[in-house]
Amino acid sequence: MSWFEATDCPCNSLALNCLQMSCCMPSPAFDGSSELFEAINKAIGDDDGDDIGIGNGIGIGNNKLTAAATWMALLAKLEPEKRFRDLLIVGSHHSASYTIHPNFPFSAIGRCQNLPIVQQLEAGIRLLDLRVGGRRGNQGHSNVMVWHGSLEGQPFIPILQQIDAFAMDHPSEIITINLQPEYGVAFSSDQKLYVLKRIHEMFQGRLVKATDMENVLATWTLQDMQEKKKQVIVLFHPRFCRNFKQQ
């Protein structure tokens, strides 16, 4: 059974493809909701006897955590039986397109995001839309770049490193990566294999395996995933597998 066949609940999404709109991502995400923060404080408790503060963030013990950066950790304490499949996950479109140089022609359209990946994650984003392909004019196996259409961004591996850094600092947060080869961009089998190896090396046991997806989409709670230390889900677009040949 494929992971999408295990889904038995209807889903809706509304997207305005690549349109840039005036918006803000306040931190904490629930800006002004002091009543909610007070409820979180009471629900979490204060086992160490330290103050749990409200303001620009929520401090637990000696650690200062913003509500947006740790919303999964907070939600698991408030609703430990909440299934992962029932969460409303906030995502960003063409998440790494901010790496496209602003002086490129049409970059105003191509740069769908202004914040670096780590700042998006700190602001509460948990679904990253990453489009990749081989470097223009250099098809070496490690030359994998961020792309949006015909606009080339920066190397892809530093993007993974930002995700890894955030995940290491926030062990209760779960990040879903939607990885797509960009349309019309050369992406060799060697480059695809390089990406797969780097993802595995970087996240190792924190990766959700393909064999786990049926459980993730059926019964696993947010707390289950945190206890199993599963932090990263990578969804590969079918184009990733197209013409993928291993030597």
Side-chain angles (χ1 to χ4, degrees):
M1 178 182 290
S2 57
W3 67 267
F4 52 84
E5 291 174 323
T7 306
D8 60 6
C9 58
C11 298
N12 284 310
S13 64
L14 175 64
L16 300 177
N17 188 34
C18 304
L19 291 182
Q20 296 186 89
M21 307 176 71
S22 177
C23 62
C24 63
M25 297 172 68
S27 181
F30 308 102
D31 190 31
S33 300
S34 58
E35 296 84 1
L36 176 60
F37 292 156
E38 290 172 4
I40 291 173
N41 278 346
K42 292 178 181 178
I44 293 174
D46 189 9
D47 297 336
D48 298 328
D50 296 327
D51 290 335
I52 300 178
I54 301 171
N56 293 329
I58 294 179
I60 302 179
N62 295 321
N63 299 318
K64 270 293 183 182
L65 307 174
T66 67
T70 60
W71 67 265
M72 287 185 167
L74 300 175
L75 182 60
K77 291 181 178 294
L78 286 171
E79 298 187 52
E81 299 306 313
K82 173 72 72 176
R83 294 182 301 178
F84 185 78
R85 57 168 281 173
D86 294 329
L87 297 180
L88 179 62
I89 306 286
V90 182
S92 58
H93 179 59
H94 273 286
S95 305
S97 58
Y98 65 89
T99 66
I100 296 169
H101 198 284
N103 292 339
F104 283 179
F106 305 108
S107 63
I109 297 174
R111 287 167 56 93
C112 297
Q113 306 299 331
N114 294 320
L115 295 180
I117 289 293
V118 69
Q119 290 186 30
Q120 293 180 42
L121 293 169
E122 289 170 349
I125 294 296
R126 292 296 177 271
L127 172 62
L128 298 172
D129 169 30
L130 301 178
R131 316 292 180 97
V132 297
R135 186 171 188 171
R136 183 182 282 119
N138 189 334
Q139 287 297 301
H141 75 281
S142 62
N143 290 315
V144 179
M145 312 296 287
V146 170
W147 286 84
H148 183 179
S150 62
L151 297 174
E152 183 179 17
Q154 294 179 6
F156 174 62
I157 299 306
I159 302 299
L160 289 181
Q161 291 169 340
Q162 288 188 59
I163 298 170
D164 180 50
F166 177 86
M168 292 289 286
D169 289 341
H170 304 82
S172 294
E173 303 304 301
I174 300 162
I175 303 158
T176 301
I177 301 170
N178 182 27
L179 189 61
Q180 299 189 44
E182 185 58 290
Y183 286 106
V185 176
F187 195 20
S188 69
S189 293
D190 286 344
Q191 290 170 333
K192 292 175 181 177
L193 184 60
Y194 173 74
V195 168
L196 290 175
K197 287 182 176 179
R198 290 306 306 269
I199 289 174
H200 186 266
E201 291 169 358
M202 196 167 297
F203 301 115
Q204 299 186 17
R206 292 173 291 159
L207 275 173
V208 172
K209 298 178 181 179
T211 53
D212 294 330
M213 284 304 296
E214 186 172 352
N215 291 325
V216 169
L217 295 174
T219 60
W220 278 6
T221 65
L222 186 56
Q223 192 171 65
D224 287 335
M225 296 187 69
Q226 292 168 347
E227 290 174 352
K228 296 175 188 296
K229 299 182 180 180
K230 297 297 183 181
Q231 279 192 275
V232 181
I233 300 173
V234 183
L235 304 178
F236 293 94
H237 191 278
R239 287 198 303 275
F240 199 95
C241 302
R242 198 171 297 159
N243 300 320
F244 186 10
K245 298 177 182 179
Q246 288 187 259
Q247 301 297 327

